[in-house]
Amino acid sequence: MEKTLSEVIEQRRATPSFDGTPVADADLKKILEAGLKAPSGYNLQPWRFVVVRTPEQRRRLRAASFNQAKVEEASVVVVACGDKDGWRTDLDEMIRMGRQGGMTENYAEQARVNIPEYLGNHPNLTAWLNRHVMIAFTSMMLMAEVLGYDTAPMEGYEADKVCEVLRLPLSYEVVALLGIGHLKGQDKFDGGRFSMARTVFDGEYGKPINL
Ligand SMILES: Cc1cc2nc3c(=O)[nH]c(=O)nc-3n(C[C@H](O)[C@H](O)[C@H](O)COP(=O)(O)O)c2cc1C
């Protein structure tokens, strides 16, 4: 039975160790599709995902990830990337799909002008990619948990080595790794979360929110 989103948000933990049991293909498809449904600026969907499943490739990815054992233990590791040049080739497809879904020709014309201007001169494409890729990544992580799997988000890797192992194009940036499988042993200690008083403001900086 699927967990609810509220249950997942309450119970999700970053899994320290996986038992190696498989992720069903139908579930993996559902997890990936959840990510691809994420929102993105202009609907440009600049994310790319490499799904690492074979023992040999997981072993090589582990070596590129500071030897983190869970990279090899998880039956699936999704390597979430962003493509800095994706918009150049995806713009036409984004407009074609949008037009099919009701985008006006006027909107399409504006997009053809504005997007190259915006992204061709963007001061920080890495930040732009990261904000998009992590939304899709998070959707995948939560869907995996809804389906009863355990997950491990990871930033502990050497990007140049990961690029080499996965034979990524030069325009790709590696954003994060997501291990998916089943927990082996115990979860690690619960680190807790900062209070709202510390992290949430009401209307302006410094004003506590009372809810
Ligand atoms: C983007 C991101 C990168 C992370 N990278 C690693 C990592 O490389 N190795 C690791 O053991 N845990 C990693 N973590 C897990 C965090 O340590 C963990 O989420 C945090 O301690 C809170 O624990 P919890 O998620 O179980 O509540 C990462 C988490 C996030 C969100």
Side-chain angles (χ1 to χ4, degrees):
M1 214 182 66
E2 293 191 2
K3 290 185 186 169
T4 66
L5 184 57
S6 299
E7 285 169 339
V8 161
I9 286 171
E10 211 42 58
Q11 297 166 10
R12 183 214 54 80
R13 298 298 316 279
T15 301
S17 190
F18 290 97
D19 68 6
T21 51
V23 174
D25 279 359
D27 289 342
L28 179 58
K29 191 170 179 206
K30 214 165 166 185
I31 291 163
L32 295 170
E33 280 172 349
L36 303 191
K37 286 202 160 62
S40 58
Y42 286 110
N43 199 25
L44 279 167
Q45 309 165 55
W47 42 69
R48 304 289 184 264
F49 301 96
V50 180
V51 181
V52 176
R53 290 185 288 175
T54 65
E56 171 61 12
Q57 200 64 338
R58 283 186 283 149
R59 190 185 58 73
R60 298 178 73 211
L61 190 59
R62 173 181 179 170
S65 307
F66 301 111
N67 198 32
Q68 294 197 67
K70 58 189 152 191
V71 174
E72 196 175 355
E73 291 167 357
S75 37
V76 173
V77 181
V78 177
V79 182
C81 308
D83 183 358
K84 278 187 289 219
D85 284 344
W87 64 272
R88 295 178 195 275
T89 46
D90 292 345
L91 180 54
D92 284 347
E93 177 64 0
M94 179 280 281
I95 289 172
R96 189 196 64 74
M97 289 190 309
R99 293 282 287 146
Q100 242 178 19
M103 179 195 287
T104 63
E105 180 49 36
N106 187 44
Y107 182 102
E109 261 171 38
Q110 291 291 312
R112 279 193 204 97
V113 174
N114 292 344
I115 291 171
E117 218 168 81
Y118 173 50
L119 291 177
N121 301 300
H122 200 286
N124 193 345
L125 272 181
T126 298
W128 184 80
L129 285 176
N130 268 268
R131 75 170 63 100
H132 290 101
V133 174
M134 285 312 287
I135 296 181
F137 178 100
T138 304
S139 299
M140 287 185 192
M141 180 176 76
L142 296 177
M143 180 56 88
E145 297 268 346
V146 162
L147 296 175
Y149 294 98
D150 299 305
T151 57
M154 286 173 268
E155 60 179 341
Y157 56 82
E158 292 172 271
D160 51 339
K161 291 187 181 168
V162 174
C163 289
E164 202 182 310
V165 169
L166 305 182
R167 303 158 57 86
L168 298 178
L170 285 175
S171 61
Y172 274 41
E173 292 202 8
V174 182
V175 174
L177 273 50
L178 181 64
I180 306 171
H182 288 109
L183 171 71
K184 181 176 75 186
Q186 296 280 306
D187 263 324
K188 68 178 171 61
F189 65 89
D190 185 347
R193 289 299 185 269
F194 298 134
S195 66
M196 266 200 210
R198 203 178 179 102
T199 53
V200 181
F201 307 115
D202 192 0
E204 63 183 56
Y205 171 74
K207 256 180 114 176
I209 192 160
N210 296 312
L211 295 171

